[in-house]
């Protein structure tokens, strides 16, 4: 199927339709396609035997039933991941054959009880299965559907002899996607992993994920305290330096809708000296030749900026449409949403009327 232009911004199903089904399950992805998502975003981690699986993190006690499985009780351990000690069950301590016996659980069960009602119904899936799901949905719906592949903890896995870039290249070949194409967008919080994907000749956009605080772990390992903070990459100079190296940046929505007067108000001195926010960030990125994506748009009061909340009930929907519309008004190129239908609806409302 030849590429077709998508209506900007791309609506990206965050781990599938994760507002309605346990994330990273076949059901969540198929529902995202049905609800009109232009792309879906899998989080990619590795097993002990080098199989790439789809989980929010490599620690899986919050998204599977592993803690209830007596045969795996002895796998509970404490590991240091990106400088933080975590206790639980980790994908790198299991083979794919073992992980495939687990069942998915809703990660936000206290907030999303409808999704939690599906706990235990679906197995976890590997990356190769998602390639097939995308191919099938694209054929059935006769449209281009993209994958936004997020690589988690690349330096951690590389230290274990599980290089995510090498394993991903092999999965592309096995899935019949070759070296990648216009359907593929790759993102990571570690810029050196994106560099390695490019060096392998994998075609597709490469997008640098920028956290709200801290510094990229791969750079911390290499430079220690001298490692640049994430904030340094969203200054005018930082974005200019990323242009030509990567195809885009992806930022948390707070950088767009919780704009700081110190950086957005021209009267506050030089508005381009510090980290940019709101439309200024998007404009500077576009000027540097970078696309801008943002995560994660969710309708529940718990996740909305305070001015968009409509009650103290965390699980109730607030004025999500107003917050989503404010994000779109910055000119972003892609939005990550847990409820793809809501993203499609707000995008349609923001489009100029057809004459």
């Amino acid at each position: 199927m030849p590429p077709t232009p998508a209506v900007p911004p791309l609506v990206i199903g965050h781990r599938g339709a994760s507002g309605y089904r346990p994330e990273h399950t076949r059901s969540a992805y198929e529902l995202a396609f049905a609800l009109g998502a232009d792309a879906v975003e899998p989080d990619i981690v590795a097993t002990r035997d080098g199989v790439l699986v789809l989980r929010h993190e490599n620690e899986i006690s919050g998204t599977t039933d592993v803690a209830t499985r007596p045969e795996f009780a002895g796998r509970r351990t404490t590991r240091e991941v990106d400088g933080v000690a975590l206790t639980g069950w980790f994908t790198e301590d299991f083979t794919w054959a073992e992980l495939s016996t687990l069942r998915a659980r809703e990660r936000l069960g206290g907030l999303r009880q409808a999704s939690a009602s599906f706990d235990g119904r679906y197995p976890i899936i590997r990356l190769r299965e998602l390639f097939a799901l995308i191919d099938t949905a694209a054929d059935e719906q006769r449209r281009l559907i993209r994958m936004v592949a997020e690589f988690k903890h690349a330096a951690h896995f590389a230290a274990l002899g599980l290089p995510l870039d090498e394993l991903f290249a092999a999965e592309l070949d096995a899935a019949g996607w070759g070296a990648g194409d216009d359907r593929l967008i790759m993102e990571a919080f570690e810029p050196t992993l994106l560099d390695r994907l490019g060096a392998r000749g994998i075609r597709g956009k490469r997008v640098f994920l920028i956290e709200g605080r801290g510094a990229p772990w791969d750079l911390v390992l290499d430079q220690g305290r001298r490692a640049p903070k994430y904030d340094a990459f969203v200054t005018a100079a930082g974005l200019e330096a990323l242009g030509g190296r990567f195809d885009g940046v992806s930022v948390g929505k707070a950088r767009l809708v919780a704009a700081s007067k110190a950086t957005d108000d021209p009267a506050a001195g030089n508005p381009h000296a510090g980290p940019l926010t709101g439309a200024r960030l998007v404009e500077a990125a576009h000027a540097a030749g970078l696309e801008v994506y943002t995560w994660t748009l969710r309708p529940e009061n718990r996740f909305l900026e305070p001015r968009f909340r409509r009650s103290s009930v965390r699980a109730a929907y607030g004025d999500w449409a107003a917050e989503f519309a404010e994000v779109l008004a910055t000119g972003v190129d892609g939005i990550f949403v847990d409820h793809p239908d809501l993203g499609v609806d707000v995008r349609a409302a923001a489009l100029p009327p057809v004459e």
Side-chain angles (χ1 to χ4, degrees):
M1 176 181 297
T4 55
V7 176
L10 288 178
V11 174
I12 304 163
H14 186 235
R15 308 166 193 163
S18 60
Y20 299 117
R21 296 290 188 276
E23 63 191 29
H24 293 313
T25 59
R26 172 184 289 266
S27 180
Y29 287 116
E30 290 178 336
L31 183 55
F33 304 142
L35 294 177
D38 303 302
V40 290
E41 180 246 19
D43 293 323
I44 298 172
V45 294
T47 67
R48 186 174 68 197
D49 51 345
V51 174
L52 297 182
V53 296
L54 309 185
R55 287 291 90 194
H56 172 56
E57 295 287 347
N58 56 327
E59 200 290 296
I60 56 174
S61 62
T63 60
T64 74
D65 62 354
V66 66
T68 70
R69 303 288 289 271
E71 66 270 34
F72 298 132
R75 306 285 177 91
R76 187 173 187 269
T77 189
T78 298
R79 284 186 173 273
E80 185 176 294
V81 181
D82 296 358
V84 178
L86 299 173
T87 299
W89 288 260
F90 298 85
T91 58
E92 59 263 36
D93 295 325
F94 293 79
T95 65
W96 166 241
E98 292 170 329
L99 283 182
S100 67
T101 68
L102 301 179
R103 292 296 181 267
R105 298 178 61 86
E106 169 55 49
R107 187 172 58 88
L108 303 171
L111 195 70
R112 292 176 170 169
Q113 296 181 23
S115 178
S117 70
F118 293 91
D119 283 358
R121 290 197 184 191
Y122 310 120
I124 68 174
I125 64 174
R126 59 186 294 182
L127 177 62
R128 193 171 301 178
E129 293 176 68
L130 181 56
F131 283 120
L133 290 175
I134 291 173
D135 287 341
T136 297
D139 288 343
E140 292 177 348
Q141 298 185 21
R142 302 181 63 81
R143 65 186 180 98
L144 180 70
I145 298 177
R146 294 174 169 88
M147 173 189 288
V148 182
E150 179 177 344
F151 299 84
K152 287 291 185 74
H153 311 299
H156 170 79
F157 281 111
L160 299 173
L162 296 166
L164 297 185
D165 56 307
E166 179 181 329
L167 296 172
F168 185 70
E171 286 292 302
L172 284 173
D173 287 339
W177 281 44
D181 54 33
D182 291 332
R183 295 173 291 176
L184 182 60
I185 301 169
M186 299 165 284
E187 58 178 15
F189 289 103
E190 299 178 34
T192 53
L193 183 278
L194 295 174
D195 289 335
R196 291 200 300 272
L197 290 167
R200 287 188 173 276
I202 297 176
R203 299 190 304 276
K205 294 178 180 178
R206 291 176 292 138
V207 175
F208 181 30
L209 285 160
I210 298 176
E211 274 280 20
R213 61 178 65 87
W217 182 245
D218 57 333
L219 301 186
V220 171
L221 289 174
D222 182 54
Q223 303 176 36
R225 293 184 179 181
R226 296 181 294 107
K229 304 295 186 184
Y230 281 112
D231 275 354
F233 293 102
V234 288
T235 63
L239 291 166
E240 185 68 27
L242 292 175
R245 180 181 179 186
F246 301 133
D247 300 286
V249 294
S250 186
V251 300
K253 71 177 177 68
R255 290 192 185 271
L256 301 183
V257 297
S260 165
K261 291 182 180 179
T263 56
D264 265 9
D265 185 356
N270 180 0
H272 299 288
L276 300 173
T277 57
R280 288 183 181 274
L281 189 160
V282 177
E283 291 166 2
H286 285 170
L290 298 165
E291 294 184 341
V292 180
Y293 300 78
T294 191
W295 39 274
T296 304
L297 305 191
R298 294 165 167 144
E300 295 96 344
N301 284 312
R302 161 67 178 81
F303 301 112
L304 295 173
E305 291 298 312
R307 57 198 166 98
F308 296 111
R309 296 171 188 166
R310 293 298 175 260
S311 77
S312 60
V313 180
R314 288 156 48 94
Y317 285 14
D319 192 359
W320 59 269
E323 182 175 281
F324 287 21
E326 185 169 309
V327 171
L328 265 62
T330 65
V332 293
D333 302 283
I335 55 173
F336 291 86
V337 293
D338 285 0
H339 305 72
D341 54 329
L342 303 188
V344 170
D345 180 79
V346 169
R347 180 179 64 184
L351 292 175
V354 177
E355 298 182 357

